[in-house]
C-alpha cells in the first residue's frame, strides 16, 4: 500500500514539475511578444507565428491567414505608429496554451490612441506558437467571429 501511495505521489509531483516548466516557457514567449509590441519591432516574433492564424487588426478580421500575410499586416500596422507603449496586464495559462492581454498606447498622425491586444498561444505540438491575436477595441472574443458595427 505504501508503494502504491509513493508511486501516485511521484507521478503527481512529476506532472506538477512539468506544468511549472511549461508555464516558464510560456512566460518567456510572452515576454518576447511584449517587447515586440512595446518597440514595434516584430522581428523576434515571426518564428512564433503558427502557419495559419486568425487575427483582428482594428476593424479588419483575417481568418486562417498565413504567417507571411500576418507578418505583412503587422509590419503595415506598426509603420504608422510612434511612441509605442505596451505591457501585458493579464495572463492565463492552461493545459494546452496560454492567453494574455494588455493595452497598446501609441501616437499616429500626432494623435494619441490605444488598442487592446489579446494574444492566444498554443503548445500542443511541443512548440509554443501564436494562433490568434486581437488588436482592436472590440472584445477579445470577436477575434474569432465576424463583427459588424
Amino acid at each position: 500500500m505504501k508503494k502504491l501511495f509513493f508511486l501516485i505521489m511521484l507521478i503527481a509531483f512529476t506532472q506538477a514539475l512539468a506544468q511549472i516548466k511549461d508555464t516558464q516557457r510560456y512566460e518567456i514567449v510572452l515576454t518576447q511578444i511584449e517587447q515586440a509590441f512595446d518597440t514595434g519591432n516584430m522581428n523576434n516574433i515571426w518564428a512564433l507565428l503558427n502557419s495559419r492564424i486568425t487575427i483582428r487588426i482594428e476593424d479588419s478580421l483575417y481568418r486562417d491567414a498565413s504567417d507571411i500575410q500576418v507578418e505583412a499586416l503587422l509590419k503595415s500596422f506598426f509603420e504608422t505608429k510612434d511612441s509605442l507603449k505596451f505591457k501585458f496586464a493579464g495572463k492565463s495559462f492552461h493545459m494546452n496554451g496560454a492567453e494574455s492581454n494588455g493595452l497598446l498606447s501609441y501616437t499616429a498622425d500626432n494623435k494619441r490612441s490605444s488598442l487592446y491586444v489579446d494574444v492566444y498561444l498554443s503548445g500542443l505540438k511541443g512548440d509554443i506558437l501564436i494562433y490568434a491575436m486581437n488588436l482592436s477595441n472590440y472584445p477579445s472574443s470577436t477575434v474569432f467571429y465576424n463583427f459588424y458595427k
Side-chain angles (χ1 to χ4, degrees), residues 69-149:
Q69 183 182 6
V70 170
E71 184 176 334
L73 290 167
L74 288 172
K75 281 182 181 178
S76 176
F77 174 79
F78 281 104
E79 280 177 357
T80 61
K81 310 297 186 268
D82 295 315
S83 304
L84 296 164
K85 183 179 178 188
F86 179 75
K87 184 137 183 88
F88 281 126
K91 298 175 185 174
S92 173
F93 304 96
H94 46 86
M95 188 174 235
N96 297 319
E99 302 168 12
S100 194
N101 57 51
L103 186 67
L104 174 67
S105 300
Y106 59 89
T107 303
D109 299 326
N110 293 322
K111 293 170 75 174
R112 195 85 179 129
S113 193
S114 61
L115 290 173
Y116 291 104
V117 174
D118 304 287
V119 176
Y120 300 87
L121 304 175
S122 173
L124 286 176
K125 297 178 184 175
D127 292 331
I128 297 174
L129 298 173
I130 300 167
Y131 72 90
M133 284 192 277
N134 179 37
L135 286 77
S136 75
N137 286 321
Y138 295 115
S140 62
S141 61
T142 66
V143 73
F144 302 107
Y145 304 102
N146 288 326
F147 186 74
Y148 301 100
K149 291 190 216 181

Side-chain angles (χ1 to χ4, degrees), residues 31-85:
T31 299
Q32 282 180 270
I33 296 168
E34 187 175 67
Q35 290 170 349
F37 278 93
D38 193 48
T39 62
N41 181 351
M42 300 285 121
N43 291 333
N44 292 333
I45 69 163
W46 298 141
L48 299 173
L49 297 176
N50 197 16
S51 60
R52 306 306 283 176
I53 298 173
T54 298
I55 183 169
R56 176 179 295 286
I57 299 179
E58 296 176 319
D59 291 332
S60 300
L61 176 65
Y62 305 89
R63 292 171 128 314
D64 203 30
S66 72
D67 54 345
I68 295 167
Q69 183 182 6
V70 170
E71 184 176 334
L73 290 167
L74 288 172
K75 281 182 181 178
S76 176
F77 174 79
F78 281 104
E79 280 177 357
T80 61
K81 310 297 186 268
D82 295 315
S83 304
L84 296 164
K85 183 179 178 188

